[in-house]
Amino acid sequence: MLARRLQGIPPTIFSEMSALAVRTESVNLGQGFPDVDGPPGVIARAVEALENGQNQYAPGTGVPALREAIARHQGRHYGLDLDPDRQVCVTTGCTEGVAAALLGLVDEGDEVVVLEPYYDSYVAMIQMAGGVRRPVTLRWPDFRLDVDELRAAVGPRTRFILLNSPHNPTGTVLTRDELQAVADVAIEHDLVVITDEVYEHLVFDDHEHLPLATLPGMFERTLTLSSAGKSYSFTGWKVGWASGPAELVDAVLAAKQWLTFTSGAPLQPAVAHALDDEPDFPRELATDLQKRRDLLCSGLGEVGLDVRVPEGTYFALTDVSDLGWEDGLSFCLALPERAGVVAIPTQGFHDSEAGRHLVRWAFCKNPSVIEDGLRRLGDARLQA
Ligand code: GLN
């Protein structure tokens, strides 16, 4: 029954694996959502909005208080100077931002260069928008950007790069040099870059997130997307935003108005409050997450998995080929029964074979949950 635009796109692996975790009573180290909510003061602000008449449609671009707070956030962290009325649009999570950007900008047959492994919604939305993806692979074990491969992916029909840094699922945070290479290619070939920066604050050690829009000559060709989900541990609120030059933000709004029309009104003042009045929360979350990253990564190493310690995000990747598995999917399908743990196979996030043996583990969970998962893995037979 499916329309051609959705054919060949499997159901999202995240919902599938979370359902499997519930069904098998497994520890869910798959889907990336925290098990502790964000700041109580932010929740109180949402309750206040719910109880005080902010329950009707918000403006299409979002409530002014949130757009202003987003502009201040981009100014404070990155020195970007945004007009909140013309250069910011609130979306229903960054997922809608990606969808609206692609639907609003991509014409039939346009090529979109995208980092592989790619987040699953990118593939679905590039296809639904009539675009053609051109993957550039980040490879195990370092997952660095290969600039020659990037250059080779760009052809006469390429109009966009869809970037994601900090990168899910590899945990790579693109360096200034890598971003400069992206900028050089974009300027040389007159490309627009859509950047998904939802893990912007979740970076570890000395790694630093740099928005592509801050590089010389890039603001005018970059649409920056982010959200409150990861930075403030409100993944279920689905409050995201797009920012950049007015003509790119207008394209997002042009599509968004026919998707969700406007986004959840009472949550928007609460997110404005989070950005303005809880500015330290994301950094503290990152400090805490780093400890959980280390707990998970050392534990995965102890049970015999080859692990890549991520520079940012919620996720660590392992290679399960040494354990004799044909691929990551068969490992992940066997894992609930063998160990009572759920993880995410990432081969579906690739066109190439590069991700065949990679499995993703989330560490945005309570330390006790991570420890429980590791104990279960330690007690199980993980060899194929
Ligand atoms: N972004 C989260 C992840 O990568 C969850 C996304 C989803 O469930 N669609 O796990």
Side-chain angles (χ1 to χ4, degrees):
M1 283 302 288
L2 269 186
R4 254 197 307 278
R5 75 178 69 85
L6 278 164
Q7 278 173 20
I9 300 174
T12 172
I13 188 81
F14 302 112
S15 307
E16 203 175 310
M17 296 313 279
S18 279
L20 181 63
V22 171
R23 211 163 54 236
T24 58
E25 295 181 8
S26 292
V27 172
N28 190 355
L29 300 181
Q31 194 175 29
F33 60 89
D35 45 15
V36 176
D37 288 341
V42 177
I43 296 175
R45 193 70 188 71
V47 171
E48 194 183 309
L50 282 163
E51 289 178 343
N52 289 286
Q54 296 190 55
N55 297 297
Q56 309 310 324
Y57 298 126
T61 53
V63 302
L66 177 53
R67 281 185 279 113
E68 286 158 16
I70 292 163
R72 279 192 290 274
H73 173 275
Q74 296 301 93
R76 191 166 67 238
H77 286 281
Y78 309 124
L80 290 164
D81 185 18
L82 294 169
D83 175 351
D85 292 327
R86 298 187 58 243
Q87 298 180 317
V88 179
C89 179
V90 175
T91 56
T92 301
C94 183
T95 300
E96 193 201 29
V98 170
L102 293 170
L103 291 172
L105 292 166
V106 173
D107 277 318
E108 196 74 31
D110 284 349
E111 292 180 359
V112 183
V113 170
V114 57
L115 299 182
E116 176 194 81
Y118 30 63
Y119 188 55
D120 61 353
S121 89
Y122 300 173
V123 175
M125 286 316 306
I126 291 169
Q127 182 169 320
M128 285 171 78
V132 177
R133 67 177 176 276
R134 288 283 172 239
V136 173
T137 309
L138 305 178
R139 284 170 212 284
W140 172 271
D142 297 329
F143 299 110
R144 299 306 343 159
L145 178 67
D146 180 334
V147 178
D148 292 332
E149 203 179 315
L150 170 66
R151 288 193 168 276
V154 177
R157 305 201 66 178
T158 306
R159 287 189 58 217
F160 302 96
I161 299 175
L162 174 50
L163 204 67
N164 169 222
S165 179
H167 183 260
N168 175 13
T170 65
T172 286
V173 178
L174 294 180
T175 62
R176 183 180 288 274
D177 287 349
E178 287 168 323
L179 290 165
Q180 188 59 55
V182 173
D184 292 345
V185 169
I187 291 169
E188 188 180 324
H189 296 275
D190 194 20
L191 310 178
V192 165
V193 188
I194 302 161
T195 71
D196 170 351
E197 303 184 3
V198 293
Y199 297 99
E200 60 187 319
H201 295 300
L202 306 185
V203 294
F204 313 124
D205 307 314
D206 297 331
H207 298 284
E208 207 186 334
H209 169 67
L210 195 65
L212 189 71
T214 61
L215 269 60
M218 286 309 291
F219 179 80
E220 49 270 44
R221 59 177 67 251
T222 303
L223 183 71
T224 304
L225 307 175
S226 193
S227 87
K230 312 299 190 293
S231 299
Y232 284 93
S233 298
F234 289 121
T235 62
W237 282 20
K238 304 298 295 173
V239 178
W241 47 85
S243 66
E247 60 272 25
L248 293 180
V249 172
D250 286 348
V252 170
L253 183 64
K256 184 229 156 60
Q257 67 183 328
W258 308 122
L259 295 171
T260 50
F261 181 45
T262 68
S263 300
L267 299 179
Q268 295 189 40
V271 173
H273 172 78
L275 294 175
D276 283 337
D277 299 318
E278 299 275 1
D280 297 332
F281 182 87
R283 198 178 46 239
E284 287 161 11
L285 175 62
T287 304
D288 192 59
L289 268 173
Q290 183 170 322
K291 293 186 207 137
R292 290 183 264 162
R293 173 198 69 168
D294 294 342
L295 173 68
L296 177 74
C297 289
S298 63
L300 291 174
E302 278 164 29
V303 301
L305 284 159
D306 206 358
V307 58
R308 194 263 177 143
V309 178
E311 299 164 351
T313 77
Y314 282 166
F315 311 112
L317 282 183
T318 55
D319 181 338
V320 297
S321 56
D322 286 352
L323 297 174
W325 291 89
E326 189 183 330
D327 59 26
L329 180 61
S330 42
F331 175 85
C332 288
L333 291 178
L335 204 55
E337 200 180 310
R338 290 213 185 178
V341 176
V342 158
I344 301 281
T346 67
Q347 65 215 84
F349 307 156
H350 291 77
D351 284 299
S352 73
E353 287 289 297
R356 193 173 166 82
H357 293 100
L358 301 182
V359 170
R360 192 193 81 171
W361 311 80
F363 51 85
C364 49
K365 311 291 177 183
N366 269 320
S368 61
V369 173
I370 296 172
E371 278 161 3
D372 185 15
L374 290 171
R375 208 163 22 241
R376 289 170 182 228
L377 291 171
D379 291 342
R381 196 175 69 83
L382 299 180
Q383 293 286 337

